[in-house]
């Protein structure tokens, strides 16, 4: 049986999305009781990065000015994606599996570039698509570190649109995007 699609954005800086367009019944809220996994499952869900190249994730689309976008899927502090800030990075990631996403992590380790600030996230269970489900708007801090954002949604494909940046450098960098959650089988076992 297919797991029901769900969307719930969390973490103080997030604004829940409007979901899919009118008449699209593929996006439903998750009841609060169903949103609380067991402690050992929570640990397991945060270990697997479904946006990892090692797990089979891929970059499907990005703006042509972006260099090194595949570096977003590897865990290496000296590699990053770089783009002129005025070109506004946009990227589509195919996750390694269909999952119930629980959170995503943005990492930036570059000290001498501008960093991403405001972003919007969209999800889909198929690609290509003209109907992306708006999952939420988020604001990243101006820190050189990893930042976690809670976001619950059933997805296979994620689209990140970076709308603004911190700093006044010509280039914006992003070192890594990680996505954590659970597969339908793991969710059914909860």
């Amino acid at each position: 049986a297919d797991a029901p699609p769900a969307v719930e954005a969390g973490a103080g800086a997030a604004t829940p999305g409007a979901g899919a367009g009118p008449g699209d019944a593929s996006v439903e809220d998750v009841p609060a009781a169903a949103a609380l996994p067991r402690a050992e499952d929570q640990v397991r869900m945060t270990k697997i990065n479904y946006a990892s190249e090692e797990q089979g994730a891929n970059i499907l689309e990005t703006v042509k000015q972006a260099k090194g976008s595949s570096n977003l899927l590897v865990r290496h502090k000296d590699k990053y994606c770089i783009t002129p800030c005025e070109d506004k990075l946009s990227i589509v990631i195919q996750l390694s599996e269909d999952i119930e996403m629980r959170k995503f992590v943005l990492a930036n380790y570059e000290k001498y570039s501008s960093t991403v600030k405001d972003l919007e996230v969209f999800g889909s269970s198929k690609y290509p698509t003209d109907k992306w489900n708006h999952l939420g708007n988020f604001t990243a801090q101006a820190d050189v570190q990893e930042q976690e954002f809670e976001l619950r949604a059933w997805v296979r494909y994620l689209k990140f649109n970076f709308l603004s940046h911190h700093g006044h450098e010509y280039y914006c960098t992003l070192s890594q995007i990680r996505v954590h959650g659970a597969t339908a089988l793991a969710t059914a076992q909860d």
Side-chain angles (χ1 to χ4, degrees), residues 53-70:
E53 187 175 75
E54 289 178 349
Q55 293 288 328
N58 292 303
I59 300 291
L60 299 177
E61 280 183 39
T62 188
V63 294
K64 69 177 184 174
Q65 298 84 354
K67 304 294 182 227
S69 59
S70 63

Side-chain angles (χ1 to χ4, degrees), residues 106-119:
L106 298 180
N108 192 20
Y109 307 113
E110 293 304 307
K111 296 179 182 173
Y112 303 105
S113 64
S114 292
T115 59
V116 298
K117 182 179 179 184
D118 295 311
L119 62 138

Side-chain angles (χ1 to χ4, degrees), residues 77-78 80-85 108-116 142-145 165-175:
K77 289 186 176 186
D78 293 329
Y80 50 84
C81 175
I82 187 169
T83 187
C85 294
N108 192 20
Y109 307 113
E110 293 304 307
K111 296 179 182 173
Y112 303 105
S113 64
S114 292
T115 59
V116 298
D143 297 331
V144 177
Q145 65 175 1
H165 60 279
H166 295 284
H168 302 288
E169 301 294 334
Y170 179 76
Y171 286 108
C172 286
T173 59
L174 185 61
S175 300

